[in-house]
């Protein structure tokens, strides 16, 4: 029997930070103690368990706690991993904008929406600065579920348009990203909360990016994975998957996780580095809007994941994010500013010698520049203005 013919569902439950356990059939999205839920450790895959007939993240359904037969899928996953010479080193860029809604969020939302649909959800609520809302809107439409997306008033018009095009109801909230989350939590008393930051099944989807790295590298782990973080779901997803593979004896070590965040929104990086985030003063708006989360709900888990990998974290100055946008585009990689934080983080850790030329390094680019057209235009207009002033001074 091949992997594609197996239909048995892996057994698991959920737990909160207090250690209390919950059934996967429990519709809750957080624990009784108010903490986020996690899915219990699942068996790691062996190469022969991959469903090679499936060209989506569901090729790894043997390690997903959702019935594959009831999946809500638009073909997410299996994104390219492109080798590029960067700062004199050969690195691999994982291009997550090849997902159906052009961001990595599709991974988590596919698994989360599959779970919710299997449990009879007819309507869902999400809060998002853009990409998460677009993904929830698309997968809710695919599942025949109504979606309401609460967004910051400053969200990019292209991302709002995408969610609206899929039939989602949009509600704008003035204020910070965290104030948007607070409003969603208030409304979750009436509408099932499909939060990509809170729902445990979202992490189960994001972990598949690590399985793809492992498979693409001939079933070995990279030495380093470089990530941008907002809420930290890719950090935790990589930690979960590489932990599963390590426990299964399929890899002999965890990759080091190198994490970057915008300087004034670097709660995970600052906490990891022993810096009080409040010491940075008032939070300054960043062009990397998708990573502007002041209070990540899974902060301890994200920090622990970086430490467990013997990794490192960096608070990226705004100017370095702008420079990374231009540097990526100059190589044909049109990544949105939030994604470009990862490239700036790569630059930093190469410069200080933490990432060496003889190591295998994967950099995750989470979303396309087309999703942030106004901000991309601002970066290049600024660059053109500087170039004009420089030429005029000669």
């Amino acid at each position: 029997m091949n992997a594609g013919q197996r239909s048995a569902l892996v057994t698991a439950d959920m737990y909160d930070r207090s250690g209390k356990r919950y059934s996967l059939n429990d519709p809750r999205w957080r624990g009784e103690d108010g903490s986020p839920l996690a899915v219990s450790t699942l068996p790691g895959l062996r190469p022969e368990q991959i469903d090679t007939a499936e060209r989506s993240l569901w090729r790894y359904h043997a390690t997903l706690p959702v019935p594959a037969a009831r999946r809500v899928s638009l073909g997410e996953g299996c994104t390219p991993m492109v080798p590029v010479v960067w700062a004199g080193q050969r690195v691999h860029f994982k291009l997550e904008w090849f997902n159906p809604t052009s961001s990595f969020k599709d991974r988590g939302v596919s698994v989360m929406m599959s779970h919710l649909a299997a449990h009879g959800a007819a309507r869902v609520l999400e809060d998002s600065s853009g990409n998460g809302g677009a993904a929830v809107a698309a997968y809710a439409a695919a599942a025949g579920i109504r979606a309401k997306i609460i967004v910051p008033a400053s969200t990019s018009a292209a991302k709002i348009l995408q969610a609206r095009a899929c039939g989602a109801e949009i509600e704008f909230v003035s204020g910070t990203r965290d104030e948007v989350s607070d409003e969603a939590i208030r409304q979750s008393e009436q509408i099932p909360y499909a939060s990509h930051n809170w729902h445990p099944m979202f992490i189960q989807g994001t972990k598949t990016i690590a399985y793809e790295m492992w498979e693409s590298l001939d079933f070995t782990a990279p030495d380093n994975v470089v990530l941008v973080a907002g809420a930290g779901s890719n950090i935790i997803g990589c930690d979960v998957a590489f932990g599963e593979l390590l426990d299964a004896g399929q890899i002999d070590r965890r990759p080091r996780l190198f994490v970057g965040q915008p300087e004034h929104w670097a709660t995970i990086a600052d906490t990891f580095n022993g810096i009080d985030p409040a010491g940075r003063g008032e939070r300054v708006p960043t062009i990397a809007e998708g990573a502007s989360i002041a209070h990540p709900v899974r902060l301890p888990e994200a920090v622990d994941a970086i430490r467990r990998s013997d990794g490192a974290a960096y608070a990226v100055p705004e100017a370095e994010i702008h420079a990374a946008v231009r540097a990526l585009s100059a190589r044909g990689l049109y990544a949105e500013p939030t994604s470009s934080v990862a490239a700036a983080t790569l630059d930093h850790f190469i410069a200080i010698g933490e990432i060496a030329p003889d190591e295998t390094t994967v950099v995750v680019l989470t979303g396309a520049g087309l999703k942030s057209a106004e901000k991309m235009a601002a970066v290049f207009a600024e660059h053109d203005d500087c170039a004009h002033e420089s030429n005029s001074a000669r």
Side-chain angles (χ1 to χ4, degrees):
M1 180 183 293
N2 63 36
Q5 294 172 306
R6 296 189 186 99
S7 59
L9 178 64
V10 293
T11 57
D13 60 7
M14 304 182 292
Y15 62 93
D16 61 24
R17 286 180 185 149
S18 75
K20 184 174 176 59
R21 317 295 290 204
Y22 306 89
S23 166
L24 290 184
N25 294 322
D26 191 325
R28 69 176 56 248
W29 52 269
R30 64 179 170 184
E32 290 181 1
D33 63 352
S35 70
L37 295 170
V39 174
S40 57
T41 301
L42 298 171
L45 283 180
R46 300 184 304 277
E48 64 271 18
Q49 290 178 291
I50 296 172
D51 185 351
T52 55
E54 178 72 49
R55 199 185 185 289
S56 77
L57 65 79
W58 292 92
R59 67 197 284 112
Y60 310 119
H61 62 76
T63 192
L64 294 173
V66 176
R70 303 186 69 177
R71 76 190 74 174
V72 179
S73 176
L74 294 170
E76 59 291 323
C78 292
T79 59
M81 202 162 77
V82 180
V84 174
V85 176
W86 186 276
Q89 298 191 21
R90 186 176 186 269
V91 300
H92 300 267
F93 283 98
K94 184 76 167 152
L95 308 185
E96 285 293 278
W97 58 71
F98 280 88
N99 281 299
T101 75
S102 300
S103 91
F104 85 96
K105 297 286 176 61
D106 293 347
R107 293 180 182 273
V109 171
S110 175
V111 176
M112 177 178 69
M113 199 64 68
S114 298
H115 172 81
L116 291 168
H119 287 81
R123 189 182 184 199
V124 296
L125 174 72
E126 159 76 319
D127 59 294
S128 170
S129 62
N131 284 329
V136 167
Y139 284 82
I145 294 172
R146 289 181 297 143
K148 180 177 182 179
I149 316 295
I150 302 177
V151 303
S154 60
T155 299
S156 295
K159 294 176 182 177
I160 295 169
L161 174 61
Q162 187 176 19
R164 275 192 169 137
C166 292
E169 175 189 352
I170 306 296
E171 179 179 332
F172 292 95
V173 172
S174 298
T176 66
R177 180 66 182 82
D178 294 286
E179 289 171 321
V180 173
S181 178
D182 291 342
E183 175 60 20
I185 289 173
R186 185 186 68 79
Q187 293 190 27
S188 71
E189 295 179 7
Q190 285 77 44
I191 309 172
Y193 193 24
S195 169
H196 65 278
N197 292 329
W198 279 95
H199 204 287
M201 290 299 171
F202 187 85
I203 300 295
Q204 290 297 304
T206 62
K207 79 178 184 182
T208 61
I209 195 170
Y211 276 104
E212 285 182 21
M213 294 177 199
W214 168 69
E215 184 180 3
S216 296
L217 295 170
D218 294 325
F219 305 108
T220 62
D223 296 294
N224 312 302
V225 178
V226 184
L227 302 163
V228 57
S233 59
N234 266 335
I235 302 171
I236 299 167
C238 284
D239 178 60
V240 169
F242 287 126
E244 290 173 354
L245 287 168
L246 189 64
D247 289 346
Q250 298 301 309
I251 59 175
D252 58 10
R253 48 159 176 75
R254 293 176 183 269
R256 298 183 71 192
L257 303 180
F258 291 93
V259 176
Q261 295 189 284
E263 185 174 28
H264 291 280
W265 302 88
T267 302
I268 294 171
D270 284 349
T271 302
F272 176 85
N273 290 321
I275 297 169
D276 180 2
R280 294 188 182 275
E282 183 180 354
R283 294 187 185 276
V284 177
T286 174
I287 197 168
E289 62 180 356
S292 57
I293 297 175
H295 304 290
V297 299
R298 298 181 188 271
L299 174 61
E301 290 81 5
V303 171
D304 287 348
I306 302 169
R307 287 184 177 139
R308 197 160 26 246
S309 76
D310 192 29
Y314 179 50
V316 184
E318 196 72 6
E320 293 181 18
I321 302 173
H322 288 229
V325 171
R326 295 191 293 269
L328 286 166
S329 295
R331 288 165 171 77
L333 298 172
Y334 196 61
E336 68 175 337
T338 299
S339 296
S340 302
V341 173
T345 303
L346 173 67
D347 282 335
H348 171 75
F349 286 112
I350 287 176
I352 66 173
E354 287 286 340
I355 293 177
D358 60 345
E359 295 174 335
T360 301
T361 298
V362 178
V363 184
V364 177
L365 299 181
T366 50
L370 294 172
K371 301 290 288 287
S372 297
E374 306 99 321
K375 290 180 171 56
M376 296 294 286
V379 169
F380 287 98
E382 170 192 73
H383 180 63
D384 291 344
D385 288 345
C386 290
H388 178 72
E389 289 175 8
S390 176
N391 289 334
S392 298
R394 290 176 184 169

